[in-house]
């Protein structure tokens, strides 16, 4: 069974304090790893797709990386508007998307 | 439309009633997913449609839950004889192809009283 574990469950940072969010996974035949951001009361918003180990993607203060067992979402010099829940999902060969429980990030000004 | 549209955005129903939740995917997207998100929990997979293939129903929690997708576009998730534990946000997502990103709607918040 495909599994996704995200850690920590919650993270509180001071504005400008860089950190990383972890997503560990086991999946039969990885076809893609996806990162999403979810604000309260809204649907998840797509951030990145990673397809193979060693791949990296960047967008503003966010950088996603992928190994054969885990992915990291690095946040550089975060701002309060980066506060949200960050979700990681893996796609197996059968096209099912399995999500982790998410990491709630809070950035204090 | 520009994005995935779900209706209603909120639904309050009495225990034992049936409810229908609607999802309009992005035009041209062949794949459609339904997920359930309970308070403070991650996304629980319910069902997946891909083109004209038989849907993957492996995530439906009981036979009270069913879904259909008509004409390869609009999808309806039906919950019969609702129970209080069905209260959650139901999210729909669509994607263009098998390995592309999925785009989510805003969800339907279902409350069973």
């Amino acid at each position: 069974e495909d599994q996704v574990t995200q850690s920590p469950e919650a993270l509180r940072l001071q504005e400008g304090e860089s950190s990383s969010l972890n997503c560990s996974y086991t999946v039969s035949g990885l076809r893609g790893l996806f990162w999403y951001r979810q604000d309260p009361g809204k649907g998840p918003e797509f951030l990145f797709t990673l397809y193979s180990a060693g791949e990296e993607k960047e967008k503003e203060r966010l950088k996603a990386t992928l190994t054969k067992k885990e992915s990291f979402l690095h946040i550089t010099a975060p701002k309060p508007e980066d506060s949200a829940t960050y979700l990681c999902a893996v796609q197996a060969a059968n096209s099912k998307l399995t999500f982790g429980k998410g990491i709630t990030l809070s950035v204090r000004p | 439309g520009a994005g995935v549209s779900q209706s209603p955005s909120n639904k309050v129903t009495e225990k034992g009633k049936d409810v229908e939740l609607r999802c309009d995917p992005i035009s041209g997207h062949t794949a459609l997913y339904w997920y359930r998100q309970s308070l403070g929990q991650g996304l629980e997979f319910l069902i997946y449609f891909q083109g004209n293939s038989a849907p993957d129903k492996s995530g439906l929690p009981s036979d009270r839950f069913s879904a259909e997708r008509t004409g390869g576009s609009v999808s309806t998730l039906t919950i019969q004889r609702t129970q209080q534990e069905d209260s959650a946000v139901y999210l729909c997502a669509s994607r263009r192809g098998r390995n592309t990103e999925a785009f989510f709607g805003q969800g339907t918040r279902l409350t069973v009283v």
Side-chain angles (χ1 to χ4, degrees):
Chain A
E1 183 179 335
D2 303 333
Q3 288 190 334
V4 178
T5 303
Q6 292 189 250
S7 62
E9 290 186 8
L11 183 62
R12 298 185 67 181
L13 299 174
Q14 196 69 36
E15 183 173 2
E17 179 187 2
S18 301
S19 188
S20 297
L21 313 181
N22 177 263
C23 171
S24 299
Y25 64 90
T26 55
V27 62
S28 50
L30 180 71
R31 292 293 185 268
L33 185 141
F34 304 86
W35 281 98
Y36 287 83
R37 168 190 172 129
Q38 186 175 26
D39 293 297
K42 296 191 175 182
E45 174 188 350
F46 170 75
L47 292 174
F48 301 110
T49 308
L50 301 167
Y51 290 108
S52 57
E55 189 174 0
E56 299 182 351
K57 294 276 182 71
E58 280 189 76
K59 179 181 178 181
E60 296 181 351
R61 296 178 293 282
L62 300 177
K63 178 180 177 180
T65 62
L66 181 65
T67 72
K68 289 186 178 180
K69 293 183 179 181
E70 58 190 351
S71 176
F72 290 94
L73 185 64
H74 307 278
I75 302 178
T76 301
K79 298 181 177 182
E81 53 262 41
D82 294 322
S83 298
T85 296
Y86 290 85
L87 298 166
C88 169
V90 296
Q91 180 186 327
N94 63 5
S95 295
K96 182 184 291 188
L97 283 172
T98 302
F99 281 82
K101 292 187 176 181
I103 298 171
T104 301
L105 174 66
S106 175
V107 182
R108 302 188 300 275
Chain B
V4 177
S5 178
Q6 292 187 244
S7 60
S9 54
N10 282 283
K11 176 73 175 178
V12 180
T13 190
E14 293 181 352
K15 178 181 174 181
K17 300 280 190 179
D18 298 352
V19 294
E20 286 189 351
L21 312 180
R22 177 187 170 101
C23 173
D24 282 272
I26 294 172
S27 178
H29 282 196
T30 59
L32 187 147
Y33 298 80
W34 282 99
Y35 287 86
R36 178 168 70 176
Q37 187 173 35
S38 301
L39 189 62
Q41 298 298 309
L43 274 68
E44 175 190 4
F45 168 78
L46 296 177
I47 189 168
Y48 161 59
F49 296 89
Q50 173 62 56
N52 296 320
S53 302
D56 178 347
K57 303 180 181 180
S58 60
L60 295 178
S62 76
D63 58 9
R64 296 187 295 105
F65 288 73
S66 63
E68 64 177 17
R69 189 177 184 192
T70 55
S73 180
V74 173
S75 178
T76 303
L77 177 69
T78 301
I79 308 173
Q80 296 179 311
R81 305 181 302 283
T82 52
Q83 303 296 313
Q84 287 188 327
E85 59 263 29
D86 300 334
S87 296
V89 175
Y90 289 81
L91 290 161
C92 173
S94 71
R95 65 197 312 192
R96 181 174 302 280
R98 290 185 182 276
N99 299 329
T100 61
E101 62 271 22
F103 294 91
F104 282 83
Q106 294 299 294
T108 294
R109 179 174 298 278
L110 175 66
T111 304
V112 182
V113 297

